[in-house]
Amino acid sequence: MRHLATFDDRDSAPTLVTADLILTVDDSGPRAEAMLTAGGRVVAVGSREEVEAEARRRGIEPRRADFPGATIVPGFVDAHAHPLMYGQLLTWVDVSPEQAGSIPEIVERMREGAHRLPPGVPLRGYGYEQRNLAERRHPTKEELDAIATDREVYVMNASGHGGVVNTFTLDKYGITRDTPNPEGGEFFRDADGELTGELSDAACNVLTGLHGVKIGHHGPNFHLGDEPAEHQRQLDIAQREFLSSGVTALGDAQVSKRELAAYLAMADRGALSMRVSMYLLSHLLDQAIDIGLTGPFGNAFLSVAGIKLYADGTLGGWTAYFPEGYVGDPCRRGQLYHEPAEYAGLVAKAHAAGLQTATHAQSPTAIAMVVDAVEQVLSERPDPDARHRIEHCGLPAPAEIERMARLGIRPVNQTQHYYNWGEGVEQAIGTPGERFNPLGEFVDAGVPVTISSDAPVAEPRPLEAIQAAVTRVTRRGHKLGPDSLRISAEAALRAHTLEGAISLGRENEFGSLEPGKRADFVVLGANPLTIEADTIASIPVVATWVDGTERHRADVA
């Protein structure tokens, strides 16, 4: 795998950084107490005496940045997130479980949101998870009609793969009980065939209007448009949240023309302070190849990494593909976005062009389809460092894990998914759901583990994700599965730093603190490797540095 040229150095002043402990995530020297940075890069790591001697040898008189009592780790790498979507949703009405525990509470919060908008402007909410509601179901269009009948109302499910709209929205876009389901999506109906208002995945294309982004059956369509200036505001909000949690680099796992334009505008105004590797949606694959995009391309802050595909839907929204039906609702089977032959053709085309693929797959059937396709393309065009990814990879069969190890396939998991709603997976598919995100099985099989947030499906809180990986205890205190599915704190830290960089193809640039790499690091209020595992999430992020420059400092009371 080729690595990115770095055209934007953003040189920083030479700095001698000290702390009680620096966890480098570098096997050759895992612990240190001082670090010298210059020109945006790490120059030396070691004891204070060693680093000070190196500064003198080089004739450098660095400024000091001392963090007594703190632990420094590499900048967290969130290899799978949706920053613009996250920033956009932070401007919507929050109906997450902490804010709304029932459908009437959702209705009330949305009504309050409507009062803050001009007449006719679409009203959008985000964050409900049906199994967390008192009613244990999705809202209906009639319940959303109680919010407004003269404007669009859309409440997005926490999974991001759909939600519920009011009658006005269905009427506006001409959706009736006789409207066929689009390929890769569904307009849900009740037992009498009437629309309920729930829609999923490709059916969300209707919400993007005549001139919005259309992606067909290549993924869930959450690319709702706003004015360019508003998208810039949303990205600024999202970036502040990522940096405040210690995230210095991320992979945007669903880039359409909307995201690309927004990032370019952000870079043009010099506002991009975290590193973004973009995965273009598969509906753009032919265009990417036509313009000669045959491998990773970009600079240190904005780059194209590969192609994003979808095999099936989401466990949270019960659209992941289980051909035998869900235990919680045998009438639901979920869906595949592509027939196996079509999907294999897309992977083959990307692989032949030198592009890494990152495929969303949750169910055993969908994961096997991905592994089959990767195995086929590697047999035809061998590449020992292709690094094809499976996003989420929630419930792989043991045989598929063994094949992933052999083929070099990298799962990119989100432990906050089971932290937030792991019990719901068991309710949906039964006892096998306790294996959701089987990180311990990956480690035992020699499959590298990468942890990410999938923001906004979960908040970009790496320490919370690390705690979930170590404990497998959910937000409600339920232990999900046996101890064999857990991983150590050391492995979890590596999974959210160096392994994330490897999954992005950028481990030569960041992910660990060693000479020559980017000076991206996080100052923590405690050591995540020695603190009680169930308190890791509570460790404060004191400061976040990118390119040897402080980009975030926590407020001190």
Side-chain angles (χ1 to χ4, degrees):
M1 175 171 287
R2 292 177 294 176
H3 299 286
L4 303 173
T6 53
F7 305 119
D8 184 354
D9 287 329
R10 297 193 183 187
D11 287 354
S12 60
T15 306
L16 179 63
V17 182
T18 68
D20 275 14
L21 177 65
I22 299 176
L23 297 171
T24 66
V25 195
D26 174 15
D27 291 340
S28 66
R31 285 166 171 75
E33 59 182 5
M35 176 171 57
L36 177 65
T37 71
R41 296 184 181 272
V42 176
V43 175
V45 183
S47 69
R48 296 190 188 201
E49 293 77 13
E50 291 169 335
V51 172
E52 288 172 348
E54 181 63 17
R56 289 193 299 271
R57 188 185 73 80
R58 292 172 175 261
I60 296 175
E61 296 184 6
R63 61 181 177 174
R64 294 289 296 256
D66 297 314
F67 297 99
T71 296
I72 289 176
V73 301
F76 292 117
V77 179
D78 196 337
H80 179 121
H82 307 280
L84 182 54
M85 179 190 180
Y86 178 51
Q88 190 171 44
L89 295 187
L90 289 174
T91 69
W92 293 7
V93 179
D94 183 359
V95 294
S96 62
E98 294 81 5
Q99 303 297 329
S102 67
I103 292 172
E105 290 176 0
I106 289 176
V107 170
E108 182 57 31
R109 285 190 64 81
M110 293 292 286
R111 279 176 173 161
E112 292 172 2
H115 293 323
R116 299 192 292 269
L117 293 176
V121 173
L123 175 64
R124 300 163 180 166
Y126 172 77
Y128 85 91
E129 205 286 319
Q130 67 275 16
R131 287 174 296 277
N132 288 331
L133 295 174
E135 297 83 359
R136 299 291 191 272
R137 63 171 174 83
H138 296 271
T140 65
K141 68 179 189 298
E142 289 80 14
E143 288 164 327
L144 298 196
D145 289 345
I147 301 167
T149 58
D150 59 351
R151 72 170 85 210
E152 291 183 49
V153 177
Y154 175 43
V155 183
M156 184 184 283
N157 185 266
S159 69
H161 282 244
V164 184
V165 298
N166 63 346
T167 301
F168 178 94
T169 304
L170 296 171
D171 291 344
K172 177 179 178 178
Y173 296 110
I175 309 302
T176 72
R177 61 176 292 156
D178 299 320
T179 301
N181 288 326
E183 187 176 9
E186 183 170 358
F187 298 108
F188 288 88
R189 296 164 170 83
D190 62 22
D192 297 322
E194 293 294 335
L195 295 167
T196 66
E198 183 188 352
L199 60 152
S200 71
D201 297 319
C204 299
N205 274 337
V206 301
L207 296 169
T208 62
L210 290 175
H211 306 294
V213 173
K214 302 297 183 184
I215 62 176
H217 66 297
H218 287 258
N221 198 339
F222 49 67
H223 304 271
L224 280 69
D226 285 313
E227 291 299 317
E230 178 64 8
H231 281 326
Q232 292 302 292
R233 186 176 78 90
Q234 292 159 355
L235 273 180
D236 286 342
I237 292 171
Q239 178 170 257
R240 286 196 296 272
E241 292 297 317
F242 280 103
L243 290 172
S244 70
S245 294
V247 175
T248 58
L250 57 83
D252 188 320
Q254 210 200 50
V255 172
S256 71
K257 63 182 182 181
R258 180 188 80 149
E259 285 75 18
L260 180 58
Y263 284 131
L264 290 173
M266 191 179 194
D268 284 346
R269 61 188 176 89
L272 191 57
S273 295
M274 59 185 181
R275 309 189 193 282
V276 179
S277 295
M278 299 180 290
Y279 287 83
L280 304 177
L281 264 170
S282 54
H283 78 292
L284 298 174
L285 176 57
D286 287 339
Q287 291 96 312
I289 293 172
D290 285 346
I291 64 173
L293 193 61
T294 55
F297 173 79
N299 64 30
F301 281 86
L302 185 61
S303 60
V304 174
I307 298 294
K308 172 67 178 295
L309 302 102
Y310 282 80
D312 69 345
T314 171
L315 285 163
W318 291 21
T319 58
Y321 184 59
F322 290 89
E324 67 280 6
Y326 282 79
V327 171
D329 184 352
C331 294
R332 290 203 183 203
R333 298 191 309 149
Q335 64 182 340
L336 293 176
Y337 278 89
H338 305 277
E339 290 301 315
E342 180 193 15
Y343 170 77
L346 291 168
V347 173
K349 184 178 291 187
H351 180 75
L355 289 165
Q356 180 192 35
T357 63
T359 302
H360 169 121
Q362 287 279 29
S363 75
T365 301
I367 292 168
M369 185 176 83
V370 178
V371 176
D372 285 345
V374 172
E375 184 173 51
Q376 179 179 332
V377 301
L378 288 177
S379 68
E380 295 170 353
R381 298 178 65 96
D383 182 349
D385 199 25
R387 304 190 200 185
H388 294 297
R389 298 171 30 164
I390 300 181
E391 311 305 293
H392 315 306
C393 201
L395 291 164
E400 304 310 328
I401 295 177
E402 293 178 7
R403 294 171 70 200
M404 290 168 63
R406 176 168 54 83
L407 296 167
I409 296 173
R410 302 182 64 87
V412 177
N413 296 103
Q414 295 77 34
T415 56
Q416 288 164 287
H417 284 191
Y418 63 70
Y419 177 73
N420 287 325
W421 37 267
E423 299 91 343
V425 178
E426 290 184 299
Q427 294 165 11
I429 65 170
T431 303
E434 71 178 13
R435 287 183 63 250
F436 186 35
N437 278 265
L439 303 192
E441 294 182 13
F442 288 138
V443 170
D444 290 344
V447 175
V449 173
T450 298
I451 297 175
S452 62
S453 72
D454 196 20
V457 179
E459 294 290 325
R461 296 173 182 163
L463 291 164
E464 183 177 87
I466 288 171
Q467 175 177 307
V470 175
T471 67
R472 285 191 69 87
V473 174
T474 71
R475 186 181 293 276
R476 294 161 194 79
H478 173 66
K479 175 75 175 303
L480 194 67
D483 284 346
S484 60
L485 299 174
R486 299 166 51 200
I487 61 174
S488 69
E490 290 88 349
L493 176 63
R494 180 185 177 96
H496 224 319
T497 53
L498 183 58
E499 294 298 342
I502 295 171
S503 290
L504 295 175
R506 302 186 67 176
E507 71 275 17
N508 287 352
E509 296 179 77
F510 52 78
S512 59
L513 296 173
E514 50 187 303
K517 289 193 177 183
R518 295 283 175 177
D520 299 352
F521 59 90
V522 185
V523 183
L524 301 178
N527 183 350
L529 305 189
T530 58
I531 195 171
E532 289 294 325
D534 60 358
T535 64
I536 293 173
S538 66
I539 296 174
V541 174
V542 177
T544 304
W545 289 52
V546 181
D547 260 7
T549 300
E550 188 174 271
R551 304 289 183 174
H552 164 78
R553 171 70 71 125
D555 294 331
V556 178

